[in-house]
Amino acid sequence: MTTEKNIPYKIYLSENELPHAWYNMRADMKNKPAPLLNPATGEPMGYEDLRPVFCDELIRQELDNDTAYIPIPQEIRDFYKMYRPAPLTRAYCLEEKLQTPAKIYYKFEGNNTSGSHKLNSAIAQAYYAKQQGLKGVTTETGAGQWGTALSMACAYLGLDCKVYMVKCSYEQKPFRREVMRTYGASVTPSPSMDTAIGRKILEEHPGTTGSLGCAISEAVEVAGQNPGYRYVLGSVLNQVMLHQSIIGLEAKAAMDKYGIVPDIIIGCAGGGSNLGGLIAPFMGEKLRGERDYQFIAVEPASCPSLTRGVFAYDYCDTGAVCPLAKMYTLGSSFIPSANHAGGLRYHGMSPTLSQLYADGLMEARSVEQTKVFEAAELFARVEGTLPAPESSHAIRVAIDEALKCKESGEEKTILFGLTGTGYFDMYAYEKFHNGEMSDYIPTDEELAASFAKLPQL
Ligand SMILES: *Cc1c(COP(=O)(O)O)cnc(C)c1O
């Protein structure tokens, strides 16, 4: 690079520019996401129905389809200031490497100990639990990012935190487990003998290494058994999308400073929270007819809920104790193959994003994991940051779009979400480097077998 750039490598916002309110996309959606249903009766669940499981204020946020801006309490803003505003980065080195006329920007969310965007919602959820006078919260964690984030938030506020960690991750990622314990959380491998559902699953599938859906059922059961505890969830729910809107609000504020307007906005999609947060203010403009953008959700080919799933009411967990959600789903009995992007291995998708996708407001693509790791490695070498496997799904499609621009000569502006760092994923990188990584794609027959077990309403 020889010339001074007129757009900086990193666009920083000051503390005062940290958003004062979250933005609720649902307020601008013509077709609202479908309500959660009671799994026993099939009836929509209201505030009172959800109170035994979730925190009161979070239920209000969950059910609020009308308020566009919800103020961020000062205590949460103060916590955010320990690691936010997160800068927006121009990927000049990646552009140069690709020799593309495209302009690539990314919003990095891995700049905190938990290593991902999950802390944005963890602190909000822990705050409302504390405000309600609760003793603690329970949750599940797959790869471990959410559990880590929640442990940090609970430590800060003095809340107890019980984490049910999918057994294979518990064994494969002992460092994640120890980070959680450092922040005072108790971590139990799931399925466990602590709960009725855990015991049942262990009896039916001895030797199982667990799944996210099973860990959710255990965490919900434990919250119900312990007075003063509620269950919290790190993705999928409307309230989580709301808290994650901080990502998009900051990205947009940074872009507005320099008059930058993205053409394409890309994010990886597990339960949908980072993508929902990144696109929120831009989608708001699209929904209000003010400006058009292209939005792309990227998911693993091994767990393709948007691209190959069905839009239907389904269980959120294996034990069917959670409310039913209408979403793109592969069926709650679907067990994705061993994919290294643990955070993208959920069978369903946020009901909000599912509705936007059903209405044609957003696109989705699925990518194979070896292609994802090729993109991850290229990115690490030129931009310096070691990306999480999950985030690298977005990098893959950002690179693909930039290469299309190289062919067509179009100077598109691309924004993607870099959700986290990959320090705890070196086992996956090792597999990739040793040429031992495979791309398992489920067959139509396997998916059909799982769809056949969807709840009949
Ligand atoms: C959890 C996680 C994701 C996926 O979750 P979403 O709710 O879809 O955002 C993506 N990247 C990282 C680093 C994660 O930890």
Side-chain angles (χ1 to χ4, degrees):
M1 314 250 159
T2 48
T3 50
E4 248 342 283
K5 304 285 189 280
N6 54 359
I7 306 253
Y9 276 68
K10 287 194 191 294
I11 305 175
Y12 290 97
L13 299 180
S14 71
E15 247 174 50
N16 291 338
E17 291 170 300
L18 187 93
H20 286 266
W22 293 300
Y23 167 62
N24 179 8
M25 262 190 299
R26 286 169 285 158
D28 287 309
M29 287 170 69
K30 223 186 291 148
N31 298 325
K32 310 289 183 192
L36 298 171
L37 300 186
N38 183 322
T41 64
E43 292 297 314
M45 295 186 86
Y47 178 73
E48 286 302 328
D49 304 311
L50 294 165
R51 286 194 71 201
V53 181
F54 297 119
C55 305
D56 294 350
E57 189 56 34
L58 292 168
I59 301 171
R60 287 192 197 100
Q61 295 181 352
E62 190 63 29
L63 299 177
D64 188 341
N65 285 338
D66 305 306
T67 312
Y69 287 93
I70 295 181
I72 304 174
Q74 189 58 44
E75 205 165 346
I76 299 177
R77 279 191 89 239
D78 288 344
F79 184 88
Y80 279 164
K81 286 176 193 168
M82 290 198 280
Y83 67 102
R84 319 194 65 86
L88 179 75
T89 305
R90 173 78 180 264
Y92 280 119
C93 303
L94 180 62
E95 290 169 19
E96 173 120 338
K97 177 78 183 170
L98 300 174
Q99 290 289 300
T100 174
K103 300 175 182 68
I104 309 174
Y105 293 87
Y106 58 89
K107 183 83 164 99
F108 182 45
E109 287 291 323
N111 202 6
N112 66 79
T113 297
S114 78
S116 82
H117 63 286
K118 298 232 168 50
L119 195 54
N120 301 333
S121 185
I123 185 60
Q125 297 194 43
Y127 169 81
Y128 292 117
K130 177 82 179 179
Q131 254 213 332
Q132 195 179 323
L134 298 174
K135 271 192 256 171
V137 291
T138 69
T139 199
E140 77 294 330
T141 197
Q145 289 98 318
W146 167 245
T148 313
L150 190 67
S151 311
M152 290 174 70
C154 286
Y156 180 76
L157 294 168
L159 277 175
D160 186 40
C161 179
K162 297 184 196 300
V163 180
Y164 285 80
M165 185 171 189
V166 178
K167 193 182 275 170
C168 64
S169 298
Y170 182 90
E171 285 162 2
Q172 267 182 18
K173 300 194 170 180
F175 294 159
R176 277 254 176 233
R177 186 179 76 209
E178 291 316 316
V179 178
M180 287 183 251
R181 296 198 331 158
T182 301
Y183 286 95
S186 71
V187 189
T188 308
S190 165
S192 75
M193 296 297 282
D194 290 8
T195 63
I197 182 72
R199 290 188 292 272
K200 178 162 174 271
I201 290 171
L202 283 171
E203 197 176 304
E204 286 168 8
H205 309 275
T208 177
T209 54
S211 70
L212 212 47
C214 169
I216 295 175
S217 301
E218 288 206 272
V220 172
E221 188 179 322
V222 171
Q225 284 165 350
N226 287 278
Y229 282 76
R230 292 292 186 283
Y231 166 71
V232 294
L233 181 62
S235 184
V236 183
L237 296 176
N238 296 328
Q239 56 187 274
V240 187
M241 304 278 131
L242 174 72
H243 307 147
Q244 295 297 357
S245 68
I246 188 100
I247 304 173
L249 291 165
E250 283 183 8
K252 189 157 191 312
M255 291 190 134
D256 286 349
K257 277 193 170 191
Y258 289 87
I260 305 159
V261 180
D263 297 295
I264 313 177
I265 304 175
I266 302 167
C268 63
S273 72
N274 86 83
L275 176 64
L278 176 68
I279 68 176
F282 303 99
M283 183 59 89
E285 289 186 331
K286 180 160 172 154
L287 290 165
R288 296 187 300 270
E290 293 163 12
R291 209 193 282 269
D292 198 17
Y293 300 96
Q294 184 183 7
F295 301 103
I296 310 177
V298 191
E299 54 188 17
S302 59
C303 193
S305 31
L306 285 170
T307 50
R308 293 177 68 200
V310 292
F311 190 32
Y313 268 105
D314 193 10
Y315 300 110
C316 294
D317 60 323
T318 312
V321 291
C322 289
L324 294 173
K326 189 179 181 197
M327 57 187 174
Y328 278 87
T329 178
L330 298 169
S332 61
S333 66
F334 178 79
I335 310 264
S337 70
N339 175 291
H340 291 289
L344 304 183
R345 290 187 68 204
Y346 187 63
H347 66 273
M349 184 56 63
S350 137
T352 305
L353 286 191
S354 292
Q355 189 62 51
L356 293 170
Y357 182 62
D359 290 340
L361 291 157
M362 183 181 90
E363 299 168 29
R365 291 204 197 141
S366 72
V367 289
E368 295 174 20
Q369 65 174 347
T370 46
K371 296 273 185 300
V372 167
F373 276 82
E374 280 167 20
E377 197 174 76
L378 173 71
F379 183 83
R381 289 180 188 181
V382 296
E383 287 290 322
T385 300
L386 178 75
E390 291 88 351
S391 326
S392 305
H393 286 67
I395 300 176
R396 174 73 266 167
V397 170
I399 290 177
D400 291 346
E401 289 299 316
L403 291 174
K404 275 189 211 163
C405 289
K406 183 176 175 176
E407 242 160 59
S408 66
E410 283 172 291
E411 290 184 25
K412 285 190 181 169
T413 298
I414 299 170
L415 167 64
F416 73 88
L418 186 67
T419 51
T421 49
Y423 299 119
F424 290 110
D425 298 284
M426 296 327 288
Y427 178 68
Y429 276 90
E430 181 189 18
K431 287 252 173 231
F432 173 67
H433 294 142
N434 290 346
E436 292 162 3
M437 185 170 274
S438 56
D439 293 311
Y440 185 80
I441 300 174
T443 63
D444 288 341
E445 289 70 30
E446 280 170 273
L447 294 183
S450 178
F451 296 151
K453 290 186 212 148
L454 284 170
Q456 303 299 313
L457 293 178

